[in-house]
Amino acid sequence: MAYLNLDPDFLNHPKTIRLLGETGPEGVVCLLRLWCFCAKFAPNGDLSRYSASAIEKEIMQWHSEPEKLLITLQKMH
């Protein structure tokens, strides 16, 4: 069974706070969706078979400005 470990300080981490400021609560929830998807279907983190649009729209269920969430996450890396 897949599982996801979440640090208890996740919500107070500077990157989470910055993500919240740039994308609102939806961005944080979408990141959690991505992690849950990877835990279950891509445990090695390889999402190369998915387009950026599919990751954003289908996996993370981001419905705001296209590409904004992925660009924001990439800047935070």
Side-chain angles (χ1 to χ4, degrees):
M1 172 182 253
Y3 64 92
L4 178 69
N5 288 325
L6 184 66
D7 188 306
D9 291 324
F10 169 75
L11 294 174
N12 296 315
H13 191 281
K15 286 183 179 181
T16 306
I17 292 169
R18 197 166 78 208
L19 179 62
L20 184 61
E22 293 190 30
T23 64
E26 182 184 8
V28 176
V29 171
C30 288
L31 177 58
L32 292 171
R33 281 191 182 111
L34 176 63
W35 289 345
C36 290
F37 178 89
C38 287
K40 190 168 182 180
F41 301 108
N44 64 356
D46 182 9
L47 297 173
S48 62
R49 66 178 175 226
Y50 301 99
S51 68
S53 178
I55 292 169
E56 203 171 58
K57 290 178 185 176
E58 298 168 22
I59 295 172
M60 298 190 338
Q61 298 177 27
W62 173 254
H63 302 295
S64 295
E65 183 181 337
E67 298 183 16
K68 180 178 181 175
L69 180 57
L70 287 179
I71 290 169
T72 301
L73 291 171
Q74 288 171 346
K75 287 191 307 186
M76 294 181 167
H77 184 285

